[in-house]
Amino acid sequence: MVDHPPFHQQQLSNGLTIVIEPMADVSSVALGFLARTGARDEHPGVAGVSHFLEHMCFKGTARRTWQNITIDFDTLGSTYNAYTSKDRTFYYGWVPAEKLEQQLELLADMMRSSLPTEEFDMEKKVVLEEIAMAGDQLDSLAYDFLHEQVYADQSLAWPVLGYEQTIAPLTRDQMNEYLQRRYSADNLILIVAGRVDPLQVTRLAERYCGGWPRAQITAASRNPPLPRPGQSAKVVERFTQQVIAEVFPCPGGRDPWNETAEVLVSILGGENSRCFWNIVQQGIAPRAGAFRMEYEDGGLIILTGQCDPADSAALLTALRLEAQRITREGVTEVEVQRVKNRMRTGLAIEGEAPYYRLSQLMDDVDYRGRPRTVGERLAAVDAVTPQMIADYLREFPITTGGHLISVGPRHWLPD
Amino acid sequence: MDVCRHEVLSNGIEWAALNLPDRKTITGELRFLTGFVHEPATQLGINHLVEQTIDKGTTRRTGHELHDAFDALGARWASWSGREATGFQITALPEYFDAALALVAEFLLMPTFPTEAVDVAIQNTLDEITHLDDDPQELTSKLFHRRVYGPVLGRHLYGEADELRGVTSAQVENFWRTHYVPGRMQASFAGPLDANRLAASLEKLFPAQGAITGRERLTFDFQPGYHHQSKELEQEHIAICYPGASLDHPQRFAQRVLIAVLSGGMSCRLFTEVREKQGLVYWVTAYTEHPRGVGMVYLGASSTPQRCPQTYTTLIREIERVREDLQADEVQRAITGLVARMQTRGDITAARCAELADDLFHYGRIIPREEKINQISRVTVNDVQAYLQAHPPTPRQVLTLGPDPITLESS
């Protein structure tokens, strides 16, 4: 596989990190600012402020009204958006390569939001509508309930959107305090992938971001997550299906076990997986699988499925059976090789498009502290063996110490 | 300019190939002109069952062995079924693509439809039908399509529970035998490929002779009206629809620009007026749907019940106001966005393949990107106004899903 040229990575004097991956065979460029802040960096009284701030960054700066911001994005023909998670907020745009400077300048301007007072209350209504919408989605309710229970009394428990009770009374001053503290140059990373000249990007970053202040308050102040075992149920009568999930601690994004855990969940619950053939294709539940939720300093392996509420016990039994079997019997060389083969094609697809590369670069830079080439990531996966998976499962078991979650119309937990 | 090959092979397969020598993967889509509109009324949902079970066993391998064979190549594949077509898309590294295509041909030509796999697919589909109740947007879409398109075009891909329960493995096989023939197949490929070799492969892999079929157009009578479906929800969902231009209509480019003016980015009218100025919604959208030879314009949003009437009023006002005060800069911005997004997405090989497949499906020819860009770029305010004159937003069909109905007249 042909790999891309090396990355260009440097830091401006104010601490802003810049990571650039030039891609010769493309015609576009994707770029974004990663703010290393999210729901886990909030105080409980202002839960949801990171996400609300993400909305407000589209609402005005010292140089632009919200109309100017959106018109400028659309005049560039940009594919753009932003999102907030538990531990990061990301603003991005994907444009034809010749629009690089305008896109970078616009995104940089947004990072210095003026939080216009006249827009604050209006945008609050939008966020409250988003919270109401999430209340109608079973997956979303289950995700939030899982975090509330597994990370009870820790900042990872707050929902990304916050609560109506925290958003409604939130003031602009509270948000401004958070903005000044969390959007300092040394807590932001500019990531660029596509048809670019790295020197030009650096010059532009210096021009548009060089004056930003440094604050010395970074994600390092986070407490490592401590998932709690147990079982918890939430009844929401208006839904028809039941979500069953059993979650287990797993290492975070910076941990050397990372790729091993990835291969494990793929064999257990990804495409052509054991869960697919032994649960879904056996008619036990229409949806069943396993996935990983990672943060830089910890994470979860989640065995989960959705089913008719009456089938909850059968689904949980089937999920646990697969966890026990893979722990007891291990995995085969052939199973591991299948994952590697799939990943090889997936990485080639990713290497074709700046938009895809941007997303992966963000993960690598944020969680692993540095960008990785497509080839380097493939080599890391290629190194995984069945023995490593067995060793991993001894270190991070998925048969004991989990937290069982049940969300749906039935109050169901095993006896 | 990209050089694209397009022809009908001797076995009846219509195919197109775009050689993109710098890419790292090849994507192919085999699309059969068979969808849920072709299902017998007593077997609604059977096409989805074919799509779900065609890979669960061949005369050579079990379903599990087939999936393992794809994984041995690292080939990624996916399938979908829809109103008038069903597609099988495959992406692989160039050195494995021929072998991956042979595997797709194997399950398309030699499926065994094991009874147990069909039974599981039926059970899972019944669960998915129930699950639609937990997804307000999907449920709105299902209910609304039935009202907009009527009993045939308005079917849902999952079918209906009563008919599904009675479907047998033999019926699934019979539907496949009748409807999954080379003459109904359109094949599209993009990536670093050898078109001559690919054509030879297609003729070898699909040796049956077949007349070209499945290109007929379906019609329906659009009936305006309003329907409210009561459901306990935090938000009320609104769906609005009226007839627009089909994809072979001369005004289709003006329509595309209009939809971009309404819903193409954050500066568009709906986002600005409904969300940013009034804070009524989190999401709001306008889009078109195109059964072959048909064009329907849709608007949608959701908001908490007490704000729903104002949301509806604003949506209607905006689609009517655009007739009165459309500005040249809005049109230009919409054009810029459409063209730029074509350019950026062009870096994704699978997107190029999908573009070919859609061209074959809707136009029966591959339209060069330059021609598309040229047509969009030439749209003027007058063109959009003329389109609006010919395709007014009334009469329309409206559906709300949530706690309370709205009064259309007073809202």
Side-chain angles (χ1 to χ4, degrees):
Chain A
M1 181 183 296
V2 179
D3 218 340
H4 293 302
F7 303 102
H8 296 255
Q9 184 170 3
Q10 67 181 93
Q11 209 166 46
L12 299 187
S13 57
N14 60 5
L16 177 76
T17 299
I18 306 167
V19 177
I20 307 161
E21 180 175 359
M23 300 169 71
D25 298 330
V26 301
S27 61
S28 61
V29 59
L31 59 150
F33 281 98
L34 169 65
R36 301 192 70 229
T37 195
R40 71 179 294 188
D41 302 301
E42 299 166 348
H43 302 298
V46 296
V49 65
S50 309
H51 168 258
F52 189 179
L53 171 58
E54 173 226 302
H55 280 231
M56 286 303 295
C57 283
F58 285 87
K59 300 300 283 189
T61 70
R63 300 172 48 204
R64 286 178 170 93
T65 64
W66 64 265
Q67 288 97 333
N68 295 145
I69 289 174
T70 57
I71 287 171
D72 285 355
F73 265 120
D74 289 338
T75 301
L76 291 175
S78 179
T79 297
Y80 60 99
N81 210 333
Y83 73 85
T84 308
S85 71
K86 295 282 185 186
D87 56 0
R88 59 169 72 138
T89 312
F90 192 57
Y91 304 81
Y92 66 87
W94 181 27
V95 289
E98 63 272 18
K99 307 285 189 181
L100 166 72
E101 176 168 1
Q102 296 99 309
Q103 183 64 97
L104 198 158
E105 186 277 328
L106 175 55
L107 286 165
D109 194 31
M110 287 169 58
M111 294 302 97
R112 304 292 99 191
S113 173
S114 59
L115 305 182
T117 309
E118 63 280 12
E119 298 302 330
F120 189 80
D121 286 341
M122 186 60 73
E123 198 58 26
K124 189 181 280 186
K125 293 180 187 173
V126 173
V127 173
L128 291 173
E129 285 293 338
E130 192 175 356
I131 291 172
M133 188 177 81
D136 285 333
Q137 294 167 344
L138 181 59
D139 288 344
S140 176
L141 284 177
Y143 175 87
D144 284 345
F145 182 66
L146 184 155
H147 279 84
E148 281 169 14
Q149 298 303 312
V150 173
Y151 293 119
D153 303 321
Q154 302 169 55
S155 61
L156 276 170
W158 335 139
V160 170
L161 300 183
Y163 304 96
E164 190 179 343
Q165 305 92 290
T166 56
I167 295 299
L170 191 76
T171 66
R172 182 191 172 279
D173 285 347
Q174 286 174 303
M175 182 180 285
N176 192 41
E177 186 276 328
Y178 183 86
L179 169 66
Q180 300 308 323
R181 195 159 47 85
R182 303 300 305 179
Y183 278 53
S184 56
D186 49 344
N187 203 33
L188 290 167
I189 302 171
L190 169 62
I191 305 169
V192 183
R195 190 172 170 183
V196 292
D197 169 4
L199 289 177
Q200 186 200 5
V201 175
T202 307
R203 275 198 302 271
L204 293 172
E206 187 65 64
R207 184 184 309 162
Y208 297 118
C209 316
W212 295 354
R214 172 197 285 270
Q216 303 284 10
I217 298 170
T218 68
S221 59
R222 293 167 177 166
N223 293 319
L226 292 171
R228 146 184 107 87
Q231 53 182 29
S232 312
K234 181 185 180 94
V235 177
V236 194
E237 288 180 350
R238 67 176 183 271
F239 292 107
T240 62
Q241 299 275 303
Q242 195 84 14
V243 173
I244 302 293
E246 194 153 37
V247 306
F248 301 90
C250 80
R254 288 178 184 266
D255 197 284
W257 281 116
N258 205 28
E259 278 73 22
T260 307
E262 195 60 45
V263 174
L264 167 67
V265 294
S266 185
I267 291 170
L268 190 57
E271 296 170 42
N272 191 21
S273 66
R274 295 183 178 197
C275 283
F276 176 73
W277 288 105
N278 300 335
I279 300 178
V280 176
Q281 286 306 311
Q282 293 304 312
I284 296 168
R287 300 179 188 185
F291 66 97
R292 215 157 53 102
M293 202 175 282
E294 65 170 358
Y295 306 106
E296 64 173 343
D297 48 3
L300 299 171
I301 281 186
I302 304 177
L303 310 183
T304 185
Q306 279 187 38
C307 61
D308 184 294
D311 297 331
S312 300
L315 172 57
L316 179 63
T317 301
L319 288 168
R320 284 180 169 174
L321 198 64
E322 292 308 318
Q324 287 159 6
R325 196 164 71 85
I326 207 165
T327 301
R328 190 176 60 243
E329 299 169 9
V331 301
T332 65
E333 289 277 4
V334 174
E335 283 180 301
V336 173
Q337 190 59 48
R338 278 186 213 129
V339 177
K340 293 175 182 177
N341 294 344
R342 275 203 302 267
M343 205 159 279
R344 186 172 292 115
T345 306
L347 288 168
I349 294 168
E350 181 189 306
E352 287 182 337
Y355 184 65
Y356 296 154
R357 278 302 291 157
L358 184 71
S359 174
Q360 184 57 46
L361 283 173
M362 178 182 61
D363 260 354
D364 283 342
V365 171
D366 190 18
Y367 287 163
R368 292 160 190 87
R370 64 186 184 84
R372 296 185 300 170
T373 62
V374 165
E376 188 180 355
R377 289 176 57 221
L378 187 58
V381 173
D382 268 339
V384 176
T385 64
Q387 185 57 50
M388 288 167 72
I389 290 178
D391 293 343
Y392 171 91
L393 285 167
R394 268 193 294 280
E395 189 91 8
F396 299 95
I398 58 169
T399 50
T400 57
H403 195 125
L404 174 65
I405 297 293
S406 168
V407 180
R410 183 180 173 200
H411 187 278
W412 181 84
L413 286 170
D415 298 331
Chain B
M1 182 185 283
D2 296 324
V3 178
C4 187
R5 181 162 163 184
H6 171 216
E7 62 198 4
V8 178
L9 301 174
S10 60
N11 53 10
I13 295 174
E14 184 179 10
W15 86 297
L18 176 64
N19 184 23
L20 301 168
D22 293 333
R23 305 301 171 97
K24 300 175 179 64
T25 59
I26 299 175
T27 293
E29 180 176 318
L30 305 185
R31 186 181 290 196
F32 287 90
L33 302 182
T34 298
F36 55 70
V37 296
H38 302 107
E39 296 169 344
T42 55
Q43 296 171 11
L44 298 182
I46 197 167
N47 186 56
H48 179 63
L49 293 180
V50 171
E51 180 230 322
Q52 290 291 302
T53 55
I54 199 165
D55 63 334
K56 297 302 182 293
T58 71
T59 52
R60 290 182 189 160
R61 302 169 225 251
T62 65
H64 206 146
E65 287 168 347
L66 185 67
H67 283 246
D68 288 352
F70 275 111
D71 278 350
L73 303 170
R76 295 194 154 201
W77 72 280
S79 60
W80 56 269
S81 53
R83 186 176 286 117
E84 296 172 281
T86 301
F88 301 88
Q89 192 190 64
I90 183 154
T91 299
L93 299 177
E95 58 269 36
Y96 298 119
F97 190 80
D98 287 351
L101 184 62
L103 284 174
V104 176
E106 180 181 323
F107 74 69
L108 289 176
L109 290 170
M110 294 181 276
T112 52
F113 298 107
T115 303
E116 56 275 21
V118 172
D119 289 345
V120 166
I122 290 171
Q123 186 52 53
N124 286 344
T125 306
L126 290 169
D127 282 337
E128 293 292 352
I129 289 173
T130 307
H131 188 76
L132 284 175
D133 253 8
D134 292 343
D135 187 334
Q137 267 182 276
E138 279 298 311
L139 184 59
T140 301
S141 171
K142 176 184 174 177
L143 297 170
F144 199 42
H145 279 148
R146 183 61 188 253
R147 300 192 75 81
V148 167
Y149 293 122
V152 178
L153 276 170
R155 291 171 177 171
H156 190 269
L157 87 154
Y158 293 158
E160 301 296 334
D162 286 347
E163 281 81 21
L164 266 181
R165 287 192 186 94
V167 172
T168 65
S169 176
Q171 288 172 325
V172 170
E173 182 171 345
N174 188 50
F175 188 84
W176 158 77
R177 199 176 295 284
T178 316
H179 290 86
Y180 284 69
V181 294
R184 295 182 89 97
M185 193 204 289
Q186 293 178 329
S188 312
F189 302 89
L193 50 82
D194 178 336
N196 288 331
R197 214 177 70 193
L198 208 44
S201 288
L202 284 172
E203 292 199 304
K204 187 176 164 199
L205 290 169
F206 298 92
Q209 300 294 309
I212 293 182
T213 180
R215 271 69 169 172
E216 70 278 3
R217 291 173 177 224
L218 296 166
T219 57
F220 71 103
D221 290 324
F222 175 72
Q223 299 292 329
Y226 169 59
H227 176 72
H228 173 74
Q229 182 74 35
S230 185
K231 185 169 175 60
E232 185 191 345
L233 289 171
E234 301 281 334
Q235 285 191 315
E236 189 97 17
H237 287 249
I238 305 169
I240 300 167
C241 178
Y242 59 90
S246 66
L247 283 184
D248 53 2
H249 191 284
Q251 290 180 310
R252 63 186 180 275
F253 296 104
Q255 176 174 264
R256 225 175 136 191
V257 169
L258 171 68
I259 294 299
V261 165
L262 288 171
S263 188
M266 290 186 191
S267 71
C268 71
R269 289 199 172 205
L270 296 184
F271 195 86
T272 298
E273 297 297 327
V274 184
R275 174 170 150 159
E276 299 299 84
K277 287 188 180 172
Q278 298 183 72
L280 292 169
V281 301
Y282 171 67
W283 70 275
V284 58
T285 187
Y287 60 95
T288 53
E289 276 189 5
H290 296 283
R292 206 196 317 256
V294 174
M296 302 301 291
V297 179
Y298 284 81
L299 290 89
S302 67
S303 60
T304 40
Q306 65 273 21
R307 310 167 87 195
C308 184
Q310 191 181 343
T311 303
Y312 176 78
T313 306
T314 310
L315 286 170
I316 296 301
R317 192 191 72 210
E318 287 310 310
I319 54 174
E320 292 185 343
R321 188 170 68 90
V322 74
R323 287 199 284 188
E324 299 157 10
D325 62 358
L326 182 65
Q327 303 296 312
D329 61 336
E330 284 179 290
V331 168
Q332 190 50 52
R333 203 159 56 239
I335 291 170
T336 302
L338 290 168
V339 171
R341 281 188 275 275
M342 276 182 71
Q343 290 170 338
T344 49
R345 277 165 184 70
D347 281 337
I348 300 173
T349 304
R352 298 302 303 271
C353 178
E355 210 177 309
L356 297 184
D358 285 343
D359 280 357
L360 286 185
F361 180 77
H362 287 289
Y363 310 114
R365 74 178 183 102
I366 302 303
I367 303 177
R369 299 192 114 208
E370 292 75 10
E371 184 180 328
K372 288 177 188 163
I373 289 171
N374 191 30
Q375 296 271 21
I376 290 169
S377 301
R378 288 206 316 241
V379 172
T380 65
V381 171
N382 287 343
D383 293 333
V384 178
Q385 295 289 12
Y387 163 85
L388 285 163
Q389 196 70 30
H391 303 278
T394 52
R396 52 186 165 252
Q397 177 69 244
V398 179
L399 182 136
T400 51
L401 172 77
D404 306 312
I406 57 173
T407 307
L408 299 193
E409 291 76 17
S410 66
S411 55

